[in-house]
Amino acid sequence: ARIDRVLGTLEQCRVPVIAAIAGACTGGGAGIAACCDIRIGTEATRIGFPIARTLGNCLSMSNISRLVSLIGPARTKDLIVEAPEALSLGLLNEVVPDVETLQRRANETAKLVAGHAPITLEVTKEAVRRIRRTLSREEGEDLILRAYMSEDFREGMDAFLNKRAPNFKGK
């Protein structure tokens, strides 16, 4: 619930938010990136939620809604996307060769966007947010509880903390 509130606040920011993504962007970082309006990555960028092979938990309904809106239901189920594919799916707006170029390009983009009509940017962001249906936490509470209360999640956490591969059993 706390993460959903933070990400929702970021998503509702009146001005465009730019994510400069270098390397792996997973879990909470990928959730933050999905809330941003412009995402720029390097050729080495990988974005995803590897929870099905690591912790055995699940994303919030809000995060799943964001991803389905960005890349569609089929790709949301894959949960890991490399830079070229992320660009073609619209998960990244631009891919640059390296981290140095990434920082320069993010700064250039920020300056460009800062010169645009602020009310136009604000109402466009709000219109997109209103059109995209985001499921509430309550609408997916049963799914969250099923994942987080499972033996698999306890196994995933133990495996993660002890740096070993999990042995999931579907319980």
Side-chain angles (χ1 to χ4, degrees):
R2 183 180 318 138
I3 292 170
D4 274 348
R5 281 193 304 274
V6 170
L7 295 181
T9 300
L10 176 63
E11 194 170 43
Q12 293 175 27
C13 181
R14 290 180 47 227
V15 298
V17 179
I18 300 169
I21 306 165
C25 180
T26 60
I32 291 168
C35 291
C36 293
D37 302 294
I38 299 170
R39 290 167 298 281
I40 305 170
T42 67
E43 292 173 357
T45 295
R46 293 181 58 184
I47 301 174
F49 301 88
I51 54 180
R53 70 168 193 247
T54 57
L55 298 178
N57 57 347
C58 68
L59 299 176
S60 71
M61 297 304 103
S62 298
N63 276 321
I64 290 175
S65 295
R66 282 183 195 100
L67 290 171
V68 167
S69 177
L70 283 169
I71 62 175
R75 294 306 299 170
T76 296
K77 294 173 189 174
D78 283 347
L79 301 177
I80 297 285
V81 183
E82 306 229 3
E85 187 175 15
L87 180 63
S88 70
L89 291 171
L91 192 53
L92 287 176
N93 299 83
E94 185 177 346
V95 174
V96 297
D98 52 42
V99 175
E100 184 179 305
T101 307
L102 174 66
Q103 191 59 54
R104 187 177 72 249
R105 186 65 186 124
N107 288 335
E108 291 168 357
T109 303
K111 287 178 185 171
L112 176 70
V113 171
H116 288 42
I119 292 174
T120 301
L121 296 174
E122 180 183 349
V123 299
T124 300
K125 279 186 66 159
E126 180 60 19
V128 170
R129 191 184 69 75
R130 288 181 187 184
I131 289 168
R132 192 189 82 229
R133 166 114 162 86
T134 301
L135 296 176
S136 71
R137 188 174 73 88
E138 293 77 25
E139 290 174 287
E141 183 98 13
D142 61 322
L143 302 174
I144 301 291
L145 289 175
R146 181 163 185 236
Y148 278 87
M149 301 305 286
S150 70
E151 289 179 28
D152 277 356
F153 178 62
R154 285 190 293 280
E155 165 62 14
M157 286 297 296
D158 185 65
F160 179 79
L161 294 172
N162 290 297
K163 298 181 181 3
R164 64 173 174 81
N167 182 19
F168 295 125
K169 295 186 169 95
K171 297 180 180 183

